[in-house]
Amino acid sequence: MKFDLIIAALLGIFLFHGFCSSEKAPNYSFMRQATTAPEISHYDYIIIGGGTAGCPLAATLSQKYHVLLLERGGSPYGNPNITYLSTFGSALSDLSPKSPSQRFISEDGVINARARVLGGGSCLNAGFYSRAGPKYVSSVGWDGKLVNESYVWVENKVAFQPPVRQWQSAVRDGLVESGVVPYNGFTYDHINGTKIGGTIFDAAGRRHTAADLLEYANPSGITLLLHATVHKIMFKTRGLSRPKAHGVIFRDALGKKHKAYLRRGEMNEVIVSSGALGSPQMLMLSGVGPSEHLKAHNITVVLDQPNVGQRMMDNPMNAIFVPSPVPVEVSLIQVVGITRFGSYIEAASGENFSGYRSSQSDYGMFSPKIGQLSTVPPKQRTPEALEKAINSMNALDAAAFRGGFILEKIMGPISTGHLELRTRNPNDNPSITFNYFKEPEDLQRCVNGLKVIENIIESKSFSQFRYDSISLPALLNLTASAPVNLLPKHDNISVSLEQFCKDTVMTIWHYHGGCQVGNVVDQDYKVIGVDNLRVIDGSTFNYSPGTNPQATVMMLGRYMGVRIVNERLAKEESNH
């Protein structure tokens, strides 16, 4: 009997795809501004966050149930800063209140960004698409077959093979020459050695984000509200042995308050998919977190959960800028060297990344505005100072910006930090500490990664893209002289790779943690100690998957959506 129920459930999940009419991005009939929402509404599922996990999750659940997807930002469609590879960096350097990127600076002094747009971080990132390895999948207890099916479901909409040109080819060959072998060609899989990974930029250089996965949604089963900022999750506690989530309070762009409730039904849920910063922040704002911290902010404690906001992690990135005597193509991350010692080597090049003007006022990573390798220190970025810096950069020869970065990111990491509320306003950034290189093994992996980068720069394969007259120590000092973060600098940093790692640490935007499996949520991503509440996103990771987490975050949204639907179908079948 049980086997029959499972077959029936699986048939359900495969069959209903064929019967639902889908819509093409960006013309979603179900996408509208939160100002149009009724004061009170009811749904089977309420998902907080239309990001990298929230979009595939909502699309999947909408096939059988009524879903409300709440996104605090706007639509990515029609924004050229998001859409085109050639404008990468522009969204990150946009500090306006309407920007899809919200700047934050960790307590470590590292400049960072979080997404504020439908599609989440997939709208801001460098586009690299690579799966988690089989060991990772098995270590977290996922079903390997459903994981693979879920990756394919994602890839059919958003993943592509990149065109690998001269500069990226030189890095690839330099990696192999440096001993990062074997060469595995183009693959989405996570395998030791050197490979070409996927990208979410198509052949025309157009970005495809997690928002495109809403093409899979059943239009009659989903309501998507933009500029809908959730202020708290509502819980029932009276007469119950444990708190039970039953709705959310959100505000629209005009500040008007709305309430969305779960319909009657024991399996209906609120699901938080607000990312590694947003999800622990949302739980705390709703009264689930460390009780003393919540009381200090006058938040009523629903559940004392000291692990919320703990074990925050960010994979440190360290890069070496290599000026090129010859022009290089514009490229984001395409090649990766997956070393056996726990460091990933990647590269990006060309005018938009290393900086020469894609517009008269934007220099990509060297932009006076952006922070990463900025020419103007953060506290001095007045309009006058920015204008002066831009004018002086306009006067420079294009060759000054020609070249690219070879970077390394350490796997894991092992070092952890924590997140705390600053205010009770959900639009404000919380306070985050990552404690980069606190654990010696993380620092050693960085040093080992930099040694591989040095070997690539000195390799025969890469020789046409470097100046013989610029020594490796000079390249290190050149990179270290740029204000990549707010940390104090040391002179002649090239004598110590350990010091170079510490002084030039940047983010690669792969932060995770704060709501981890085993600490805050169980293996089914249900929040421990309360009912009808899950967290499904990168905040649940104990370790960053693969070389870039976005493929796995999108996969997780689909994977958990399928699991939730299958469980419900099986339960509903058994009740009949």
Side-chain angles (χ1 to χ4, degrees), residues 396-434:
L396 290 172
D397 187 271
F401 298 98
R402 203 161 55 200
F405 294 90
I406 307 178
L407 61 93
E408 72 84 41
K409 159 197 165 175
I410 65 161
M411 68 189 290
I414 301 168
S415 307
T416 69
H418 61 280
L419 174 150
E420 294 179 338
L421 296 176
R422 287 188 201 276
T423 73
R424 287 167 55 181
N425 183 345
N427 293 307
D428 291 344
N429 286 319
S431 160
I432 310 103
T433 306
F434 291 118

Side-chain angles (χ1 to χ4, degrees), residues 260-341:
Y261 291 98
L262 293 177
R263 290 174 166 174
R264 291 183 185 275
E266 60 176 302
M267 298 189 79
N268 293 342
E269 292 175 314
V270 174
I271 304 175
V272 187
S273 296
S274 303
L277 271 61
S279 289
Q281 180 184 26
M282 179 50 55
L283 291 185
M284 288 185 192
L285 290 174
S286 306
V288 178
S291 58
E292 291 307 310
H293 181 56
L294 300 186
K295 286 173 186 171
H297 286 274
N298 293 319
I299 295 170
T300 303
V301 179
V302 172
L303 177 73
D304 178 20
Q305 172 41 292
N307 291 320
V308 173
Q310 296 302 306
R311 291 184 53 76
M312 295 297 299
M313 291 170 260
D314 186 26
N315 299 78
M317 173 177 84
N318 292 84
I320 298 177
F321 177 63
V322 188
S324 171
V326 296
V328 298
E329 74 266 15
V330 171
S331 71
L332 296 179
I333 312 299
Q334 295 180 350
V335 173
V336 62
I338 301 173
T339 68
R340 295 183 183 278
F341 55 77

Side-chain angles (χ1 to χ4, degrees), residues 100-415:
S101 168
Q102 184 175 0
R103 169 76 52 88
F104 74 93
I105 299 171
S106 72
E107 301 304 312
D108 316 270
V110 172
I111 299 157
N112 212 319
R114 61 191 291 210
R116 180 170 50 193
V117 61
L118 182 71
S122 66
C123 298
L124 305 176
N125 64 24
F128 196 63
Y129 184 97
S130 186
R131 296 180 175 194
K135 280 186 185 170
Y136 187 98
V137 171
S138 122
S139 71
V140 296
W142 291 333
D143 174 331
K145 183 171 182 289
L146 182 54
V147 163
N148 285 337
E149 289 168 357
S150 300
Y151 275 126
V152 170
W153 182 90
V154 170
E155 287 151 15
N156 285 339
K157 291 284 184 193
V158 304
F160 306 88
Q161 181 171 352
V164 180
R165 299 194 173 96
Q166 289 87 349
W167 196 85
Q168 288 278 345
S169 297
V171 174
R172 174 197 65 200
D173 297 344
L175 272 163
V176 173
E177 199 178 317
S178 302
V180 185
V181 290
Y183 174 57
N184 296 307
F186 167 70
T187 178
Y188 294 142
D189 292 334
H190 186 83
I191 322 165
N192 282 345
T194 296
K195 72 163 192 170
I196 307 297
T199 176
I200 61 172
F201 289 98
D202 64 22
R206 293 178 67 92
R207 182 191 295 269
H208 292 261
T209 75
D212 289 12
L213 298 175
L214 291 168
E215 291 186 355
Y216 284 121
N218 169 13
S220 61
I222 183 171
T223 299
L224 163 57
L225 298 179
L226 301 175
H227 298 111
T229 303
V230 177
H231 281 247
K232 66 184 288 188
I233 301 160
M234 297 183 284
F235 292 95
K236 286 181 180 173
T237 54
R238 189 175 297 170
L240 299 173
S241 59
R242 42 195 262 158
K244 180 178 180 180
H246 73 115
V248 303
I249 296 171
F250 66 94
R251 292 185 184 272
D252 62 29
L254 300 176
K256 186 181 176 187
K257 186 157 65 169
H258 304 258
K259 289 183 179 179
Y261 291 98
L262 293 177
R263 290 174 166 174
R264 291 183 185 275
E266 60 176 302
M267 298 189 79
N268 293 342
E269 292 175 314
V270 174
I271 304 175
V272 187
S273 296
S274 303
L277 271 61
S279 289
Q281 180 184 26
M282 179 50 55
L283 291 185
M284 288 185 192
L285 290 174
S286 306
V288 178
S291 58
E292 291 307 310
H293 181 56
L294 300 186
K295 286 173 186 171
H297 286 274
N298 293 319
I299 295 170
T300 303
V301 179
V302 172
L303 177 73
D304 178 20
Q305 172 41 292
N307 291 320
V308 173
Q310 296 302 306
R311 291 184 53 76
M312 295 297 299
M313 291 170 260
D314 186 26
N315 299 78
M317 173 177 84
N318 292 84
I320 298 177
F321 177 63
V322 188
S324 171
V326 296
V328 298
E329 74 266 15
V330 171
S331 71
L332 296 179
I333 312 299
Q334 295 180 350
V335 173
V336 62
I338 301 173
T339 68
R340 295 183 183 278
F341 55 77
S343 175
Y344 305 136
I345 316 297
E346 301 173 349
S349 67
E351 294 175 356
N352 73 320
F353 201 81
S354 57
Y356 194 62
R357 41 188 174 277
S358 53
S359 72
Q360 283 298 305
S361 61
D362 185 20
Y363 289 81
M365 299 302 272
F366 276 122
S367 161
K369 300 175 286 187
I370 193 171
Q372 306 277 57
L373 301 185
S374 163
T375 55
V376 181
K379 290 180 180 174
Q380 297 170 30
R381 285 180 204 153
T382 63
E384 295 77 18
L386 293 179
E387 186 177 1
K388 185 178 176 184
I390 289 164
N391 288 339
S392 64
M393 292 176 88
N394 283 342
L396 290 172
D397 187 271
F401 298 98
R402 203 161 55 200
F405 294 90
I406 307 178
L407 61 93
E408 72 84 41
K409 159 197 165 175
I410 65 161
M411 68 189 290
I414 301 168
S415 307

